[in-house]
Amino acid sequence: MTTEIGKNIDEAKAHLLNGDVVAIPTETVYGLAGNALNEEAVIKIFEAKNRPHFNPLIIHLPFWNDVKKYVTYIPEHAHTLAMHFSPGPITYLLPKKATIPDIITAGSKKVAVRIPAHPVTLQLLRAIDFPLAAPSANQFGYVSPTSPEHVYNSLKGRIPFILDGGSSNIGVESTIVDFEGDDIIIRRNGGISKEEIEAVLGFPVSSATEASEHPVAPGQLKSHYATNTPLYMVEASSLTGHNHDNTITIGFGIQHADATFNLSPEGDLHEAAKHLFELLRIADAQNAEAIYVSEVPNTGIGVAINDRLQRAQHQMK
């Protein structure tokens, strides 16, 4: 199969209508999209990524008002969050209707729903009459893609088309929020911080983002976002001690001016998130013995960055 990169939305639409899968840009990372209501198309997503079927997918829609077509109930707190953050990097876990295939949710009674903010993908979603299931557009377990070139390097020959929307401007996946009665639970840290959610709702929310071999939401597996080169997350104060000829170090802020790469020399967490996956890919291409990455301040979007680094760490056998 030949894989083409292009900006023609009609071409992407034609592939989707034909039951094929295509890569699409979002503000978080690139997604590998197929018709969420077509089980054969969804299977193609799993096959192209080598993704296990027990790992659920997110469905993407163009408008918040469309969500009610695919879920049985929308809590008032979900409406409140959507009015502030959607379209944007936030996903809602909601009770699904039978029209959503069980393969999307890995058998769960809830489906993950998101309204992406990328203008190209919103235009595509508005041109079709079905939601798109779309995990990250890369081989399962590897670093998520934030450019069409990343997708091509990972999935060339496996998918027919990559819709080019430039580089993703957030760089980490969406925050996933669950609703259990009156309780709001963050299942995955991402582009919207816990503090931002609490500020809108006016009360504390809880987090349940622990790794699981049977995840209830995408991005909960213990090992994920991993480089081929062994990667280790270290305390900021100890990064300099790992500077050697055969290692790569990735720092954050002025304190790590001597690191091989720096997520943000100015110490900006949003800049760090945007560059995280790109720098991990660059570091992985250096043929080093190991990659050492400094933790970042564990606040705001820094929580999502540290989460990705923890899951990317080398798993000792």
Side-chain angles (χ1 to χ4, degrees), residues 64 77-87 90 92:
W64 177 250
H77 292 317
H79 280 298
T80 300
L81 293 175
M83 293 308 99
H84 282 82
F85 298 124
S86 295
I90 186 168
Y92 310 89

Side-chain angles (χ1 to χ4, degrees), residues 55-241:
N55 201 6
L57 306 177
I58 296 173
I59 69 168
H60 296 68
L61 293 164
F63 303 106
W64 177 250
N65 283 341
D66 290 333
V67 173
K68 61 188 176 184
K69 299 176 184 177
Y70 305 103
V71 306
T72 60
Y73 173 67
I74 303 176
E76 188 59 37
H77 292 317
H79 280 298
T80 300
L81 293 175
M83 293 308 99
H84 282 82
F85 298 124
S86 295
I90 186 168
T91 294
Y92 310 89
L93 273 177
L94 302 170
K96 79 179 187 75
K97 287 184 176 179
T99 50
I100 297 295
D102 287 341
I103 191 173
I104 293 284
T105 65
S108 170
K109 294 181 179 179
K110 290 186 176 182
V111 61
V113 183
R114 182 162 100 85
I115 317 300
H118 198 290
V120 172
T121 288
L122 281 177
Q123 187 176 345
L124 173 63
L125 285 165
R126 291 165 185 169
I128 56 180
D129 62 356
F130 48 83
L132 292 179
S136 58
N138 58 289
Q139 289 288 310
F140 174 73
Y142 190 61
V143 182
S144 297
T146 56
S147 74
E149 291 76 22
H150 293 165
V151 180
Y152 184 82
N153 290 337
S154 184
L155 296 178
K156 60 184 176 184
R158 289 176 170 268
I159 62 175
F161 189 70
I162 300 167
L163 182 59
D164 184 356
S167 296
S168 301
N169 61 9
I170 292 179
V172 294
E173 292 84 355
S174 62
T175 301
I176 298 180
V177 182
D178 197 359
F179 305 87
E180 297 284 354
D182 292 330
D183 295 330
I184 313 299
I185 306 166
I186 294 176
R187 298 291 185 186
R188 179 177 73 183
N189 295 301
I192 301 294
S193 70
K194 181 175 183 283
E195 295 90 339
E196 290 174 301
I197 290 171
E198 290 176 335
V200 167
L201 294 176
F203 58 83
V205 302
S206 60
S207 295
T209 58
E210 296 81 7
S212 172
E213 294 307 314
H214 299 282
V216 298
Q220 290 190 316
L221 292 175
K222 183 176 181 180
S223 180
H224 208 35
Y225 317 108
T227 52
N228 294 315
T229 307
L231 181 146
Y232 304 94
M233 181 182 177
V234 299
E235 294 182 358
S237 60
S238 68
L239 182 70
T240 301

